[in-house]
Amino acid sequence: MTFNLDTQAPAVEQEISPKAPQDWAKIGLILLVFAFFTVILIVPVIYVFVGAFSNGLPGFLGTLSSREFLNALRLTLMAVAVAVPLNVIFGLCAALVLARKSFRGRTFLLSVIDLPFSISPVVAGLMLVSLYGRQGLLNPVLQALDLRIIFAFPGIALATILGGMPFVAREVIPVLEEIGDEEEEAAKTLGASSWQTFWRVTLPAIRWALGYGIILTTARAMGEFGSIAVVSSNLIGRTQTLTLFVDSSYRNYDSQGAFATAVVLAGLAAFTLVIKQLLEHLYTKRYKAE
């Protein structure tokens, strides 16, 4: 058997060389994307980490053990603990109504749910102040009940709820519309109650989308800044969340403290991204298996 190297070499070279001009355009686009991410995201993140450890590990740990940081962390976790469960309950109810019921105003309600995506967080904070502030519409009622919303924890919780409100509904609605209601109707025909139908039929079908929505809601709650800056008085140790602590530290020339707190927030965000990727992997694996 003969083997002609002269006739095989051009074929190998053709496989490993880019196909002009499409491949060069693809390579250029990939390099452009990497360059964009490097300038916009990677370099700033590296700069934050370098700043956080500018005084060494003792300086970093000193910030994390300070009373101001611990109070800000406690307030942030309290806001997350209040906002996420309420947003999950609201998102599930809204998704079930919008995906399973046909009524006049459905499109308008869908648009209203998306409002926190489209309006500025600062505007959202001003909306809360105009409603619950001293000159707000509900101020007489709040005074009669001796309740204080603005410049207190209830205002921070409301701002956090408003910012994360759409995520669960927006993740669950497409899944409910895709699976339809045939299995739910079959379960009801067999005698299942509404709660049994939801728990044993609907919830297993939407659990991945629900989990994804919860992760996004939690991430937004931890990073909320604009609306909280408006409704809180930013008092250290009282109404200061982690994001406000970062801003306050930086304005007071404590850049190391600001960067250290930013690293904590980045770590929490990275953790949610890891959970998100894990859920997507499990969902894709299950979808292919089915």
Side-chain angles (χ1 to χ4, degrees):
M1 184 177 64
T2 59
F3 186 77
N4 190 348
L5 293 176
D6 294 336
T7 58
Q8 296 297 322
V12 175
E13 183 180 358
Q14 186 176 5
E15 289 179 359
I16 62 176
S17 62
K19 298 177 181 179
Q22 292 84 359
D23 285 355
W24 287 114
K26 183 173 68 176
I27 293 173
L29 184 61
I30 293 172
L31 292 176
L32 180 63
V33 170
F34 271 103
F36 184 82
F37 272 111
T38 301
V39 174
I40 299 299
L41 183 61
I42 296 176
V43 171
V45 168
I46 294 174
Y47 183 76
V48 167
F49 273 81
V50 172
F53 292 94
S54 60
N55 294 332
L57 184 60
F60 179 78
L61 296 178
T63 298
L64 302 191
S65 59
S66 66
R67 178 180 299 179
E68 293 79 9
F69 173 85
L70 293 176
N71 286 331
L73 177 63
R74 178 181 56 84
L75 191 60
T76 301
L77 295 179
M78 287 173 58
V80 171
V82 172
V84 173
L86 292 178
N87 276 332
V88 170
I89 295 173
F90 165 78
L92 277 177
C93 294
L96 290 171
V97 169
L98 292 171
R100 292 291 183 260
K101 307 294 182 183
S102 297
F103 54 91
R104 184 175 296 177
R106 179 178 179 274
T107 304
F108 173 75
L109 186 55
L110 276 170
S111 302
V112 171
I113 289 178
D114 288 339
L115 271 180
F117 285 146
S118 56
I119 62 175
S120 167
V122 175
V123 176
L126 288 175
M127 290 166 51
L128 294 176
V129 171
S130 65
L131 191 61
Y132 301 105
R134 288 186 177 180
Q135 305 299 324
L137 184 64
L138 298 179
N139 185 54
V141 178
L142 296 176
Q143 284 189 339
L145 297 175
D146 194 21
L147 292 177
R148 185 177 184 182
I149 304 296
I150 302 303
F151 303 147
F153 176 73
I156 296 174
L158 283 175
T160 308
I161 292 171
L162 183 59
M165 188 177 66
F167 291 103
V168 171
R170 270 303 172 189
E171 292 298 326
V172 174
I173 288 174
V175 178
L176 286 174
E177 292 177 341
E178 181 181 356
I179 62 177
D181 59 352
E182 290 81 5
E183 294 184 1
E184 296 172 358
E185 294 298 328
K188 292 179 181 178
T189 303
L190 295 174
S193 63
S194 298
W195 171 252
Q196 289 173 328
T197 302
F198 171 77
W199 186 256
R200 298 183 178 180
V201 178
T202 307
L203 187 58
I206 64 173
R207 63 182 183 277
W208 299 113
L210 177 61
Y212 190 38
I214 293 173
I215 289 171
L216 293 178
T217 304
T218 305
R220 176 61 184 268
M222 289 188 298
E224 186 65 45
F225 174 75
S227 58
I228 293 179
V230 175
V231 302
S232 74
S233 53
N234 197 11
L235 293 177
I236 298 175
R238 296 179 61 184
T239 58
Q240 193 175 63
T241 60
L242 284 179
T243 51
L244 295 181
F245 182 81
V246 172
D247 179 68
S248 177
S249 298
Y250 194 77
R251 289 177 184 272
N252 292 326
Y253 305 101
D254 182 15
S255 57
Q256 191 275 330
F259 288 142
T261 308
V263 166
V264 173
L265 286 171
L268 294 173
F271 178 74
T272 59
L273 286 177
V274 170
I275 299 297
K276 167 183 167 292
Q277 292 297 330
L278 180 61
L279 285 177
E280 287 182 348
H281 173 72
L282 293 175
Y283 178 78
T284 304
K285 185 177 179 181
R286 180 179 176 83
Y287 180 79
K288 289 181 178 179
E290 291 176 351

PDB file of all heavy atoms in Angstrom, residues 132-144:
ATOM      1  N   TYR A 132     -44.887  56.705  52.195  1.00  0.00           N
ATOM      2  CA  TYR A 132     -44.777  56.430  53.631  1.00  0.00           C
ATOM      3  C   TYR A 132     -44.010  57.508  54.393  1.00  0.00           C
ATOM      4  O   TYR A 132     -43.857  57.392  55.616  1.00  0.00           O
ATOM      5  CB  TYR A 132     -44.062  55.091  53.851  1.00  0.00           C
ATOM      6  CG  TYR A 132     -44.753  53.915  53.222  1.00  0.00           C
ATOM      7  CD1 TYR A 132     -44.261  53.333  52.054  1.00  0.00           C
ATOM      8  CD2 TYR A 132     -45.899  53.373  53.794  1.00  0.00           C
ATOM      9  CE1 TYR A 132     -44.895  52.250  51.473  1.00  0.00           C
ATOM     10  CE2 TYR A 132     -46.544  52.292  53.219  1.00  0.00           C
ATOM     11  CZ  TYR A 132     -46.026  51.739  52.067  1.00  0.00           C
ATOM     12  OH  TYR A 132     -46.665  50.675  51.487  1.00  0.00           O
ATOM     13  N   GLY A 133     -43.506  58.533  53.722  1.00  0.00           N
ATOM     14  CA  GLY A 133     -42.740  59.577  54.398  1.00  0.00           C
ATOM     15  C   GLY A 133     -43.614  60.525  55.194  1.00  0.00           C
ATOM     16  O   GLY A 133     -44.845  60.388  55.265  1.00  0.00           O
ATOM     17  N   ARG A 134     -42.988  61.536  55.822  1.00  0.00           N
ATOM     18  CA  ARG A 134     -43.733  62.480  56.659  1.00  0.00           C
ATOM     19  C   ARG A 134     -44.768  63.263  55.867  1.00  0.00           C
ATOM     20  O   ARG A 134     -45.804  63.654  56.394  1.00  0.00           O
ATOM     21  CB  ARG A 134     -42.748  63.437  57.336  1.00  0.00           C
ATOM     22  CG  ARG A 134     -41.928  62.782  58.434  1.00  0.00           C
ATOM     23  CD  ARG A 134     -41.094  63.825  59.157  1.00  0.00           C
ATOM     24  NE  ARG A 134     -40.359  63.205  60.269  1.00  0.00           N
ATOM     25  CZ  ARG A 134     -39.557  63.871  61.075  1.00  0.00           C
ATOM     26  NH1 ARG A 134     -39.383  65.177  60.899  1.00  0.00           N
ATOM     27  NH2 ARG A 134     -38.938  63.244  62.052  1.00  0.00           N
ATOM     28  N   GLN A 135     -44.455  63.540  54.601  1.00  0.00           N
ATOM     29  CA  GLN A 135     -45.407  64.240  53.743  1.00  0.00           C
ATOM     30  C   GLN A 135     -46.126  63.261  52.818  1.00  0.00           C
ATOM     31  O   GLN A 135     -46.761  63.681  51.855  1.00  0.00           O
ATOM     32  CB  GLN A 135     -44.656  65.288  52.902  1.00  0.00           C
ATOM     33  CG  GLN A 135     -43.835  66.275  53.693  1.00  0.00           C
ATOM     34  CD  GLN A 135     -44.689  67.100  54.642  1.00  0.00           C
ATOM     35  OE1 GLN A 135     -45.824  67.450  54.327  1.00  0.00           O
ATOM     36  NE2 GLN A 135     -44.137  67.431  55.806  1.00  0.00           N
ATOM     37  N   GLY A 136     -46.047  61.965  53.129  1.00  0.00           N
ATOM     38  CA  GLY A 136     -46.609  60.949  52.237  1.00  0.00           C
ATOM     39  C   GLY A 136     -48.097  60.774  52.396  1.00  0.00           C
ATOM     40  O   GLY A 136     -48.730  61.279  53.336  1.00  0.00           O
ATOM     41  N   LEU A 137     -48.644  60.018  51.486  1.00  0.00           N
ATOM     42  CA  LEU A 137     -50.093  59.807  51.453  1.00  0.00           C
ATOM     43  C   LEU A 137     -50.590  59.042  52.679  1.00  0.00           C
ATOM     44  O   LEU A 137     -51.682  59.314  53.188  1.00  0.00           O
ATOM     45  CB  LEU A 137     -50.442  59.034  50.168  1.00  0.00           C
ATOM     46  CG  LEU A 137     -51.915  58.780  49.890  1.00  0.00           C
ATOM     47  CD1 LEU A 137     -52.657  60.109  49.684  1.00  0.00           C
ATOM     48  CD2 LEU A 137     -52.081  57.891  48.659  1.00  0.00           C
ATOM     49  N   LEU A 138     -49.803  58.089  53.146  1.00  0.00           N
ATOM     50  CA  LEU A 138     -50.244  57.255  54.268  1.00  0.00           C
ATOM     51  C   LEU A 138     -49.715  57.729  55.616  1.00  0.00           C
ATOM     52  O   LEU A 138     -49.851  57.010  56.616  1.00  0.00           O
ATOM     53  CB  LEU A 138     -49.790  55.803  54.039  1.00  0.00           C
ATOM     54  CG  LEU A 138     -50.366  55.113  52.803  1.00  0.00           C
ATOM     55  CD1 LEU A 138     -49.822  53.702  52.692  1.00  0.00           C
ATOM     56  CD2 LEU A 138     -51.888  55.086  52.870  1.00  0.00           C
ATOM     57  N   ASN A 139     -49.120  58.910  55.650  1.00  0.00           N
ATOM     58  CA  ASN A 139     -48.542  59.385  56.910  1.00  0.00           C
ATOM     59  C   ASN A 139     -49.571  59.515  58.031  1.00  0.00           C
ATOM     60  O   ASN A 139     -49.279  59.143  59.179  1.00  0.00           O
ATOM     61  CB  ASN A 139     -47.837  60.733  56.687  1.00  0.00           C
ATOM     62  CG  ASN A 139     -47.128  61.197  57.925  1.00  0.00           C
ATOM     63  OD1 ASN A 139     -46.313  60.472  58.499  1.00  0.00           O
ATOM     64  ND2 ASN A 139     -47.449  62.397  58.385  1.00  0.00           N
ATOM     65  N   PRO A 140     -50.797  60.038  57.788  1.00  0.00           N
ATOM     66  CA  PRO A 140     -51.779  60.096  58.887  1.00  0.00           C
ATOM     67  C   PRO A 140     -52.087  58.733  59.478  1.00  0.00           C
ATOM     68  O   PRO A 140     -52.219  58.598  60.703  1.00  0.00           O
ATOM     69  CB  PRO A 140     -53.009  60.717  58.207  1.00  0.00           C
ATOM     70  CG  PRO A 140     -52.461  61.496  57.064  1.00  0.00           C
ATOM     71  CD  PRO A 140     -51.296  60.706  56.581  1.00  0.00           C
ATOM     72  N   VAL A 141     -52.192  57.719  58.633  1.00  0.00           N
ATOM     73  CA  VAL A 141     -52.467  56.365  59.121  1.00  0.00           C
ATOM     74  C   VAL A 141     -51.292  55.840  59.941  1.00  0.00           C
ATOM     75  O   VAL A 141     -51.474  55.245  61.016  1.00  0.00           O
ATOM     76  CB  VAL A 141     -52.772  55.423  57.942  1.00  0.00           C
ATOM     77  CG1 VAL A 141     -53.009  53.996  58.438  1.00  0.00           C
ATOM     78  CG2 VAL A 141     -53.962  55.928  57.154  1.00  0.00           C
ATOM     79  N   LEU A 142     -50.078  56.079  59.458  1.00  0.00           N
ATOM     80  CA  LEU A 142     -48.888  55.601  60.176  1.00  0.00           C
ATOM     81  C   LEU A 142     -48.739  56.301  61.519  1.00  0.00           C
ATOM     82  O   LEU A 142     -48.348  55.674  62.514  1.00  0.00           O
ATOM     83  CB  LEU A 142     -47.638  55.828  59.316  1.00  0.00           C
ATOM     84  CG  LEU A 142     -47.588  55.048  57.997  1.00  0.00           C
ATOM     85  CD1 LEU A 142     -46.341  55.439  57.198  1.00  0.00           C
ATOM     86  CD2 LEU A 142     -47.574  53.548  58.269  1.00  0.00           C
ATOM     87  N   GLN A 143     -49.052  57.597  61.558  1.00  0.00           N
ATOM     88  CA  GLN A 143     -48.978  58.323  62.828  1.00  0.00           C
ATOM     89  C   GLN A 143     -50.016  57.799  63.808  1.00  0.00           C
ATOM     90  O   GLN A 143     -49.747  57.696  65.012  1.00  0.00           O
ATOM     91  CB  GLN A 143     -49.173  59.821  62.583  1.00  0.00           C
ATOM     92  CG  GLN A 143     -47.933  60.502  61.985  1.00  0.00           C
ATOM     93  CD  GLN A 143     -48.082  62.007  61.961  1.00  0.00           C
ATOM     94  OE1 GLN A 143     -49.188  62.526  62.006  1.00  0.00           O
ATOM     95  NE2 GLN A 143     -46.967  62.715  61.899  1.00  0.00           N
ATOM     96  N   ALA A 144     -51.206  57.506  63.327  1.00  0.00           N
ATOM     97  CA  ALA A 144     -52.256  56.974  64.203  1.00  0.00           C
ATOM     98  C   ALA A 144     -51.863  55.617  64.780  1.00  0.00           C
ATOM     99  O   ALA A 144     -52.208  55.294  65.916  1.00  0.00           O
ATOM    100  CB  ALA A 144     -53.569  56.870  63.425  1.00  0.00           C
TER     101      ALA A 144
END
